[in-house]
Amino acid sequence: MSESPVSGPPPQIPAARPPAPQPKPPATTLRQRLAELRGPSVAPHPLDARALAALAANPGCKRRALLDGAGVDKGVLATSLGSPAPFGQSQFALVRGNAFEKKVKADGGTELLRLLFERLGSGADAPGEATVPDLTAAGPAGRAARTALALREATAAEGWALLDHPMLALEVAGSPAYLEPDAVVVHPDGTWTVVEIKSFPMVDSSADAAKVGAAARQSAVYVLALERIAEVTEGAEVGHRVLLVCPKDFSNLPTASVVDVRKQRAVTRRQLTRLTRVEDIAAALPEGTTFDPGCSPEELGSAVDAVPAAYAPECLAACELAFHCRAKARAEGAVETLGRSVRGELGGLTTVAGVLAAAAGKEGDPADPTVAALRRAAALRAEALESPGSRSGGAACH
C-alpha cells in the first residue's frame, strides 16, 4: 500500500555558517625582523663560543642579547659610534698559544691523554693509543656533520679517541652558530670530555680566577652543543667536568686541572633561551630602528640607546660596546660604573649624586638602612679627616 505524500511546506535548509576567522599571520617573522635591525643588505655576524660565554656573564643586558641575536657586528657598530674597543690578542700571544697547543697535542695527543687520565681516570685502563679521526670537510656545516659522525663512530668503537678542533653547531635565535673547541676526548665508556688549552699560567696548581671563569663559561657552551649530538647517540654522555690545560709555573710544560661547569652550563642555557625571545625586546623599539652601519652616527646612537643595557666594569673585557656604554653610564652618574657589588649594596639609590646627597643628609629616608649606613660612613670619614689640632685643642702634631 503506497503512502500518500505528506502535505506542508518544504523542509528548510539551514544557512551555511560563515567560516571562523583565522588568526592573522605575523606581519614579519623573527628572522625578518632581525634582518631589518642589522640592515637588509648586511650579513649576520656569526656568534662564537667567546661571545656566547660573554652573554652568560651578563645575562641582564638586553642590548647585548638583541644585538647578538640579530647578528649585528658590535665591533663595527662601536667604531661607528666613536668608541672602538681595543680587543684581540697580540701576535706574540697568539704564536705562543699555538706553539703550546701543538706541544700538548704532539704524538697523537699522548701528553694530553696522560693529563686527562691523571685528573679524570676512574678505574679504566690507562690510554695507550687513541684514534684521531679526520674531521676535514667542506664548510662549517660539513665539518659539523663530519664531527657528529666521528663522535658516533668513536662511541660505538668503545675506545679512546681524540677529536682535534672538532666543529660543533648550536642553534642561537633560530640560526646555527658554529663552535670549535680545542679538543674533545671520547672515553671507552662513552663519556665525552671537553678540553680547553689556554696559554695563561697555572702557578702552584692555581690560575687567575677571572680567566678560569671565562674558560669555564666558554667550555659550557661546547658542552651544550655536544649534548645535542649525545641525545641521538646511543651510549654517549657528555661530562660536566672539563679539562683545562695550561703552562706550569710560567714554563712551556703542560699541567691540567678539572673544572666543573654545571653552573655555567645552566646559566648559558637560560641565556640562550632568552635569546630566542629577542622578538619581545625588538617589539618595544621605536618604529624604523636599525643598526645598519650605513646610517649616521647620530642615528646609530639613538638606536643603541633605545635598547636597555646593564653595564658593569667587567664588560670592558668582554663586549665591544663596553666603552660606549661606560661613557653613557658615567654621563648619567649611574652607580653601575662602580661595580656590581657596589650597585647591590646601594639598593634603591641609582645615581652617584643621589648617594652623595643621602650621605650628606640632604636626601633619603633616615630609616632606610642604606641611607643610615652612608651617613654613618660620612661621619666617620669627616672625623678621620679632621685635623689633629682641632681634636686636641690646638696642639701641634710633630
Side-chain angles (χ1 to χ4, degrees):
M1 185 177 192
S2 62
E3 296 183 1
S4 59
V6 179
S7 61
Q12 297 293 324
I13 300 175
R17 292 183 177 181
Q22 298 294 324
K24 293 182 179 180
T28 57
T29 65
L30 174 60
R31 184 169 295 186
Q32 290 173 327
R33 177 59 175 143
L34 297 182
E36 292 172 357
L37 287 174
R38 67 173 175 267
S41 61
V42 180
H45 185 69
L47 284 174
D48 57 13
R50 289 180 182 272
L52 293 175
L55 276 171
N58 191 6
C61 187
K62 292 184 179 181
R63 182 175 295 173
R64 173 146 198 168
L66 178 65
L67 294 176
D68 282 346
V72 176
D73 190 334
K74 297 190 299 299
V76 173
L77 182 59
T79 301
S80 300
L81 293 172
S83 303
F87 277 159
Q89 287 182 297
S90 67
Q91 190 65 27
F92 173 77
L94 289 172
V95 171
R96 183 175 182 274
N98 291 336
F100 178 69
E101 183 176 335
K102 288 181 180 179
K103 180 179 180 66
V104 172
K105 295 179 179 177
D107 299 325
T110 302
E111 180 65 13
L112 174 58
L113 292 173
R114 184 192 68 79
L115 290 170
L116 184 141
F117 183 76
E118 183 180 293
R119 301 295 190 273
L120 291 172
S122 56
D125 294 335
E129 291 187 4
T131 59
V132 183
D134 183 9
L135 302 179
T136 57
R143 289 186 59 200
R146 180 68 188 92
T147 295
L149 178 60
L151 285 167
R152 288 192 286 269
E153 292 175 344
T155 303
E158 298 183 352
W160 290 96
L162 172 63
L163 278 67
D164 186 6
H165 283 287
M167 182 66 72
L168 308 175
L170 187 64
E171 186 173 312
V172 179
S175 301
Y178 294 102
L179 317 168
E180 189 175 356
D182 293 327
V184 173
V185 176
V186 178
H187 301 236
D189 62 357
T191 302
W192 300 348
T193 298
V194 173
V195 178
E196 269 293 281
I197 303 174
K198 298 296 185 182
S199 59
F200 56 81
M202 193 174 294
V203 182
D204 293 333
S205 302
S206 180
D208 182 88
K211 294 180 179 179
V212 172
R217 289 189 294 270
Q218 188 174 337
S219 299
V221 177
Y222 301 139
V223 169
L224 285 174
L226 282 172
E227 286 177 343
R228 305 270 179 116
I229 307 174
E231 288 174 357
V232 294
T233 304
E234 184 178 356
E237 181 182 0
V238 183
H240 60 261
R241 297 189 297 169
V242 305
L243 188 72
L244 177 62
V245 182
C246 299
K248 181 179 181 180
D249 298 334
F250 302 102
S251 70
N252 202 33
L253 298 176
T255 186
S257 66
V258 175
V259 181
D260 192 317
V261 298
R262 281 179 292 187
K263 178 181 178 182
Q264 291 84 355
R265 170 184 165 276
V267 172
T268 304
R269 182 186 291 277
R270 287 196 300 270
Q271 184 64 1
L272 291 181
T273 302
R274 183 170 175 269
L275 270 183
T276 63
R277 301 172 186 167
V278 294
E279 190 173 15
D280 298 335
I281 305 175
L285 298 179
E287 187 70 24
T289 299
T290 180
F291 304 99
D292 191 330
C295 296
S296 67
E298 292 75 17
E299 292 173 319
L300 291 175
S302 299
V304 169
D305 294 342
V307 190
Y311 171 77
E314 293 85 351
C315 296
L316 295 173
C319 182
E320 294 87 342
L321 280 176
F323 287 89
H324 174 80
C325 297
R326 183 181 66 175
K328 289 292 182 179
R330 285 178 172 176
E332 296 169 359
V335 296
E336 284 80 2
T337 58
L338 305 176
R340 288 195 178 102
S341 59
V342 176
R343 175 68 189 90
E345 293 288 342
L346 292 175
L349 300 173
T350 59
T351 65
V352 175
V355 171
L356 295 176
K362 298 177 181 179
E363 295 181 8
D365 182 3
D368 186 338
T370 301
V371 175
L374 286 171
R375 292 180 180 176
R376 175 59 178 160
L380 292 174
R381 179 178 183 275
E383 182 180 343
L385 293 178
E386 186 180 355
S387 65
S390 62
R391 292 201 306 268
S392 58
C397 181
H398 297 285

